[in-house]
Every structure is written in structure tokens, then in C-alpha cells.
Amino acid sequence: MDQKTIISTENLVKTYKDNGMEAKAVRGISLEITSGEFTAVVGPSGSGKTTFLNLISGLDTPTKGTVMINNKLISEMKGKELSDFRRDNIGFVFQSYNLIPVLTVEENIEYIMLLQNVPKSERHERVIKILEEVGLSGLETRRPTQLSGGQQQRVAIARAMVSNPTLILADEPTANLDSEMGSELLKMMKVLNETTGMTFLFSTHDEMIMDRARRLITLKDGLVKTDEIR
Amino acid sequence: MIILKIAFRNIFRQKRRSILTALSMFGGFFLSAFFIGFSDGSYNTIISMFTSNNLGHIQIHENTYLDKPSLYKTINNYEEVLQKLAEIKGVKSYSPRIFSAGIVSVGDKSSGARIFGVDQSKEIKTTNFDKKIIKGKVFSGEEAYEVIIGEGLSKILKAEIGEELVVISQGADGSIANDAYKITGISKSGNEIEDRVTMYLPLKVAQELLVLEGRVHEIAITVGNLNSVNKINELVSKKINSEEIEAVPWQVFAKSFYDAMQADVAGMWVMLVIIMFVVAIGVLNTVLMSVLERRREYGLLKAMGTKPKDIIKLILTEINILAFICIILGSVAGFGINLLLSKHGIAMPEPITYGGMKFQYMTSEVNLRSFLIPAVIVFVSATIVGFFPALKAAKTDPAKAMRTH
Ligand SMILES: Nc1ncnc2c1ncn2[C@@H]1O[C@H](COP(=O)(O)OP(=O)(O)OP(=O)(O)O)[C@@H](O)[C@H]1O
Ligand SMILES: [Mg+2]
């Protein structure tokens, strides 16, 4: 596994302005994440975890500072360029509501490949393969409402991974799951990280889950408090 | 493709909302279809009521007669014209007429009167002449020295059936026209003022009295289908092909009536605009709610790289699928009600008797525009109104929408 830098942020600042009130969500974060890492971002509520992840993914734009992904300056990208870059390079997993309710498991996983114009037969092959990897073989025709919360999050991870992005970003992927399901999900993510070498960056509140991370970045008041590799 | 799939399934997922949206579209379609069908139907009923009483749908006169009627402005080759009319498809009936005025007396009572010379058998086909006779009989023959007088005139003259009526008028040659006829019937046209001055003579007899042998003032024509009046009028004009006489449709010779009807039609359009607003508000309401509720779905779609224009497409597709379904269902229902009301009609609070015909029902009509106009109304108002929520959805900021708090 080569150790090339995948994410690099430089003095990243995000200030929200709400009716004249300023909220400094991220106050200057500079760090690098290398390929194949399995990193957790932790910190109390309001410490800026979600904001930080959104800045890296380009869902949000920084007030100051830069974000580079794969040596591309995404903090300067806009519109179609940004959304195409995001689609092709970053897989998302949100805390909840990751799936389009009216689409089946297969159709949800397929969606991004459809936007990428991947041919039908290849799409199906990849869906079957990734479902096997996340342990949901045979559920491709189910609707999200027919799945447990843990299964839904696995589908979300499958969806995020299926188009082989550079990076998987997951914002509190286990927060809506009970601790057993949460730790199962994380175990699976780690296995996927080890077998595929894909880079994972996720945030969490959960102590047990933090322990599984190989690198732990702790945020406090929008700044990095500790950054340890274990 | 996938957008279409999502749109389709969303309609069935949000059943209650879809039904609400659909109800306003369906209701709008149905109401518009009904209004148009009924308005067109009663429009035609009223026109036929008005025209078939005695005007006809098309009239032929000497060129300048309508501007300034005169005893001397006649159609001189009318027998020939009648033959030509018989050959035109779409012409249902026609009736030649002579008009003049004179003084009439019965015993020692006298009054002014308008003299109508009518070809009885043709007049019956054209204006139900026989149904106007409320007492007595129609003429016993085309050349009988008989007269039918209006109910009002009979009262003024205190005249009874069988009595003799004397007419004094002026002949076309300048002579004094003067003769006596037996009263054989009393008529009622539905217009009381008219009935106080009306008297009918057989056409031949009137021609003789007024020294207008072989000539008439007017030929009234009725057509099979009122909607084709203008087309048939053209055919008639072409066929008679004359510099001295002309054919005009009812819209011209009954212009003030036509204008009043146009005002009525304008009323229908106002109604349609109101319906359009109601549809628009109903659709806006539910679509806006749905868009607000589904913010996360749009956020997710955008986070995955869906283009804003595809999100607009998604929402408009959902609306248009619903509109399409509503238009189909609405067409069936609209067709049903218009067909039913074209057969049975809606009873008027009080039946109107006019020209010997009793109008008891207002009927609808089944026609193409009673489907096309509502379809356009529903599609246009739903699409326009759906566009704003769609734009709002397309602008969803995924970072904000996906935040859990
Ligand atoms: N859109 C916004 N407008 C104003 N302030 C915001 C906005 N989004 C976040 N904030 C503020 O920025 C700060 C950081 O929020 P953020 O959501 O990044 O924290 P977090 O670490 O993810 O918290 P949690 O663990 O509760 O998810 C908070 O004080 C929050 O109130
Ligand atoms: Mg958060």
C-alpha cells in the first residue's frame, strides 16, 4: 500500500453567520490523511466534526483555508465540476436517511454508477459483489423500509464504496444504531478497509468505536486537540 | 430513466398527498369540462331557440334590404334560389317570405298590422309555424283567402275565428291594395308585442295583394348543425352567385343578440380562469408541503451528484404523471356528465315557451374542446405552479439538509 497523501487541509476555517451571530465551527485545522488510513474524528457535540467532514467533502465551502484531495484543490471548485468530483472521488455515509426510500437496495447502490454511465451488466455485477462484501447478499430487491437500521447503514456503505472512490466519509454512521449493531458495522468497515485498502474517515461519539480506529483525531471548539496514531 | 422511476414510485408512496393533489387536478378538469360542455350546449340551445322561432340561421335578402328594408327590395328569382338551396348539403330547410304593413279591420275595430306572406309547408319545416297556432287551423291551401292573426291582434280587433278581416295596404305598383280574408287561426309566437301586430297570409295571396308576383323579401334558412353556420353560409353565397342578393348568417342579421351571447361566452372564460387558479393553489399547496418534507431526499440526491435540473425534472415529472392520470379520469367523468346532460339536460326553474317550442331543459354538448381546454388548463397550471417548489428543491443545500439537528 503506497502512503500517498489523500487529504490535506491547510488552516481550514468555517464561520457560520446566523442573523448577525457568528458561530466559529472550525477555527483553523491543518492536517494530512494518507491513503488506506482508518481514521476517527471525535469530540463533544458542537466541536465541529460534521463541519470538518463537510468541508473535506466539498458539501460545504470553507471561510478560509484550503482542502486538497488527491492533489486537487476542491475548496476552489464550484457547480458541476465540484459535484462531478464528489461523485467520482468521495463516498458518503450519513448518520441516517442514506437511502432513497422508493428505490430498492440494488437501485440505491446503482444510483451513482447510473450517473457515471456505467453499463447495466457491470452495474449489476458490482452490486452483487459489494452486497456480498457487506454481508447482505440476496437483499437486492428489498426496500429500505424493509431493512433494519444496521442493514440500512451497510447498504449505505456499499453504495459509498461501489464506485471505488478515493475516500469514504462517514458522519456518525453508528449514531442511530444500538451499540451492538454499531460495533458490528464498524468491524465490517475495518475489514473492508483492510481488504480493499480504501481510506475511511468517520466521526463518532462512541468510545467503543473510537477504540477501533487506527488514528484518532480529537476536536474541541473547532480545533484539533489531539491527533494520535495507534 | 431512474428519475422517472423515482417519480412514479413517489406518487404511490405518498398516497394521501397524491390523492389530494390529484383531487384538485381532477376536480379542475371535471369542472372545466362540464362548464365548457354545458356552456356550449346551452349556447346552442339558446341560439336555436332564438333563431328557429322565425329568424332562421341564415337569411337571404336583396343586398341593401337589411340596412333599410323596403317593399321594393325583393329577391326576383326566388324560385330558382330555392332550387339551388335544395341541392346544398347541410341546409335543413328554407322558407320564402314577404313583408309589408297595413291597416286591418274586423267589424268596426281596426288596427295597424305587419303582413307576413309565408309559404306554409316550408314555414312549418323552418320555424314550426303550425305549432304557433293556438286556436283554429293552418291555411287550408296555398292560395286560400285566409288569414292567421296574432293573439294580441285578435284581442284588439275582438276578432273570432271565421270572421272576415279587411286589409288596406299599398301595392308595389303604387296602387292601393285592398282585400278581405277569413280568419282561420290565431297564433302565439312567445313575443307578445309582436303578436299584437302580426298577421299571416299564404305567400301567393300576399304576392297578389301587394303586387309582388314571383318576388319575395327574404328567404330564411336553417342548418343541421349550428356550429357549421358560417361554412354553409359560404356555400350558399357561392351557389346563388349573385350581385343583387346576399346570404348572411345569424351573427350578422341578429348582431345585438350575437353580442349578448359573446358576453356569455366571456363569462365562461372567466370561470375557467378561476378554476385554473383553484387548481394552481391546490397543487401548489400539496407540492410545496411535499418538497419541504422531502428536503433530505433532495439533499441526498444532490450529495450523490444529481444535477439540480434533474431534481426539477423529478418534481415536474411527478406532477405531470399525476396530471396525466387526472386528465384521463377527468375525461371519462367529463364525457359521462356531458353525455348524460346532452341527453337529459338540467330542468330550468320555469320552462320557456318560445315560438311554439317548449324549452324545458338546458342541455350539454360533448365536443372536443370540452376535453382539450381542461387538459391544457390542468397541465399548464400544474406545471407553472410546480416549477417554484421544484426550483426550491433543486437549490437544496445538501450540507444543511443532511444535518440531523
Ligand atoms: N448552518 C449553521 N449555521 C450556524 N451555525 C452552525 C451551522 N452548522 C453548524 N453550526 C454550529 O457550528 C458548530 C459546530 O457544529 P458541528 O455540527 O460541526 O458539530 P459536531 O461536532 O458535528 O456536533 P454533533 O456531535 O452534535 O454532531 C456548532 O456550534 C453548531 O451550532
Ligand atoms: Mg455532527
Side-chain angles (χ1 to χ4, degrees), chain A residues 16 18 23 25 43-51 172 205, chain B residues 400 403 405:
Chain A
Y16 291 109
D18 233 13
S45 185
S47 57
K49 303 182 293 294
T50 298
T51 307
E172 310 215 25
H205 265 112
Chain B
K400 273 199 192 127
R403 269 184 190 275
H405 43 253

Side-chain angles (χ1 to χ4, degrees), chain B residues 131-172:
Chain B
K131 301 238 171 69
K132 291 181 191 166
I133 314 298
I134 54 163
K135 231 197 259 171
K137 292 194 297 264
V138 294
F139 304 126
S140 58
E142 301 288 359
E143 291 179 47
Y145 267 56
E146 291 171 352
V147 63
I148 292 168
I149 59 176
E151 190 186 30
L153 185 60
S154 77
K155 280 183 186 148
I156 292 167
L157 298 174
K158 298 213 158 58
E160 297 290 341
I161 306 274
E163 286 188 292
E164 191 145 279
L165 176 137
V166 175
V167 180
I168 302 172
S169 184
Q170 189 198 6

Side-chain angles (χ1 to χ4, degrees), chain B residues 50-217:
Chain B
F50 182 76
T51 50
S52 65
N53 177 40
N54 75 49
L55 294 173
H57 303 140
I58 296 171
Q59 293 180 353
I60 301 175
H61 301 103
E62 191 270 341
N63 278 341
T64 60
Y65 183 89
L66 275 179
D67 295 333
K68 197 166 183 290
S70 144
L71 183 66
Y72 308 105
K73 295 175 177 172
T74 52
I75 305 167
N76 297 330
N77 55 341
Y78 84 96
E79 304 271 6
E80 206 178 298
V81 175
L82 294 185
Q83 263 167 26
K84 286 179 180 169
L85 290 178
E87 291 163 18
I88 297 174
K89 226 175 77 189
V91 168
K92 201 175 96 192
S93 65
Y94 42 83
S95 182
R97 295 155 171 184
I98 274 184
F99 305 118
S100 187
I103 294 170
V104 293
S105 46
V106 173
D108 57 357
K109 298 259 185 281
S110 51
S111 178
R114 292 177 62 197
I115 303 166
F116 292 83
V118 295
D119 180 324
Q120 178 165 279
S121 60
K122 291 194 171 64
E123 199 65 35
I124 286 172
K125 280 190 205 141
T126 309
T127 62
N128 300 302
F129 181 64
D130 51 338
K131 301 238 171 69
K132 291 181 191 166
I133 314 298
I134 54 163
K135 231 197 259 171
K137 292 194 297 264
V138 294
F139 304 126
S140 58
E142 301 288 359
E143 291 179 47
Y145 267 56
E146 291 171 352
V147 63
I148 292 168
I149 59 176
E151 190 186 30
L153 185 60
S154 77
K155 280 183 186 148
I156 292 167
L157 298 174
K158 298 213 158 58
E160 297 290 341
I161 306 274
E163 286 188 292
E164 191 145 279
L165 176 137
V166 175
V167 180
I168 302 172
S169 184
Q170 189 198 6
D173 60 352
S175 66
I176 288 181
N178 185 359
D179 226 323
Y181 310 94
K182 197 176 110 191
I183 299 172
T184 167
I186 292 180
S187 70
K188 187 174 181 178
S189 69
N191 182 336
E192 272 183 38
I193 297 169
E194 226 168 66
D195 289 345
R196 264 181 249 161
V197 293
T198 298
M199 61 161 280
Y200 298 98
L201 291 174
L203 185 67
K204 290 264 156 60
V205 175
Q207 283 171 334
E208 189 193 316
L209 172 71
L210 301 167
V211 200
L212 285 171
E213 277 91 351
R215 293 186 277 172
V216 295
H217 292 116

